[in-house]
Amino acid sequence: PRTPVSLSDLFLDIVTVTAFTRVGSAIQDRGTIDAPAIAYFAIFWQIWSKEASYSTRFDTTDISSHLETLIACFTLLGGSLSAYSDFHSAGCTRIMGMAGVVAFLHVMLHVRVWYWFKAGGEPESLNHSVKRYAVFITM
């Protein structure tokens, strides 16, 4: 049987759909797909894919992982309020700040994984592979 999806992952999915909807509404109001809309969509997609990637590869049952996901959710939700902004506005600065905060959170999660598996073990061992993957994904 499959493991159930956590509530924080479900909340992340709802927040991501809300962010994509706001980008879609901005495109609809403008009547065209412009560079800011594409960039904001790409940023929101990247945040969602990194969160989903981490939650499917590593143990996310501890409180720090749930806390990181919730902080990323609220940051994404706040950043999505600026989906109507162009590149030369405070809204764009907010979205770039949001992307920076979430990127920092992801780095901290992978540093934590690296720390847990820092002994590494033999080159063919699972611990060594997990450590290498955490370093690779952080770069």
Side-chain angles (χ1 to χ4, degrees), residues 93-139:
T93 304
R94 276 190 297 275
I95 289 178
M96 294 303 128
M98 174 218 46
V101 167
V102 174
F104 177 75
L105 292 172
H106 286 238
V107 167
M108 292 291 91
L109 281 177
H110 287 92
V111 165
R112 181 185 70 163
V113 169
W114 178 85
Y115 181 74
W116 282 348
F117 294 96
K118 72 179 176 180
E122 299 295 318
E124 286 80 31
S125 71
L126 179 64
N127 284 354
H128 184 74
S129 298
V130 169
K131 177 185 166 187
R132 286 188 57 205
Y133 179 77
V135 170
F136 170 75
I137 202 73
T138 302
M139 300 292 173

Side-chain angles (χ1 to χ4, degrees), residues 4 11 45 54 61 64-65 76 80 89 91 93 103 107 110 112 123 130:
F11 184 60
W45 178 268
Y54 182 85
T61 57
S64 63
S65 179
L76 179 60
S80 71
S89 68
T93 304
V107 167
H110 287 92
R112 181 185 70 163
V130 169

Side-chain angles (χ1 to χ4, degrees), residues 19-99:
F20 289 155
T21 301
R22 289 188 175 150
V23 171
S25 295
I27 290 170
Q28 185 177 12
D29 288 350
R30 291 180 184 143
T32 183
I33 300 174
D34 54 358
I38 293 171
Y40 300 155
F41 181 85
I43 290 168
F44 298 155
W45 178 268
Q46 187 70 21
I47 290 170
W48 174 81
S49 68
K50 284 195 173 283
E51 287 288 332
S53 174
Y54 182 85
S55 69
T56 58
R57 287 176 175 81
F58 300 111
D59 180 27
T60 58
T61 57
D62 62 335
I63 191 71
S64 63
S65 179
H66 286 291
L67 185 62
E68 185 278 336
T69 301
L70 289 176
I71 292 170
C73 285
F74 289 122
T75 306
L76 179 60
L77 195 58
S80 71
L81 295 173
S82 300
Y84 285 86
S85 304
D86 62 357
F87 283 143
H88 305 290
S89 68
C92 181
T93 304
R94 276 190 297 275
I95 289 178
M96 294 303 128
M98 174 218 46

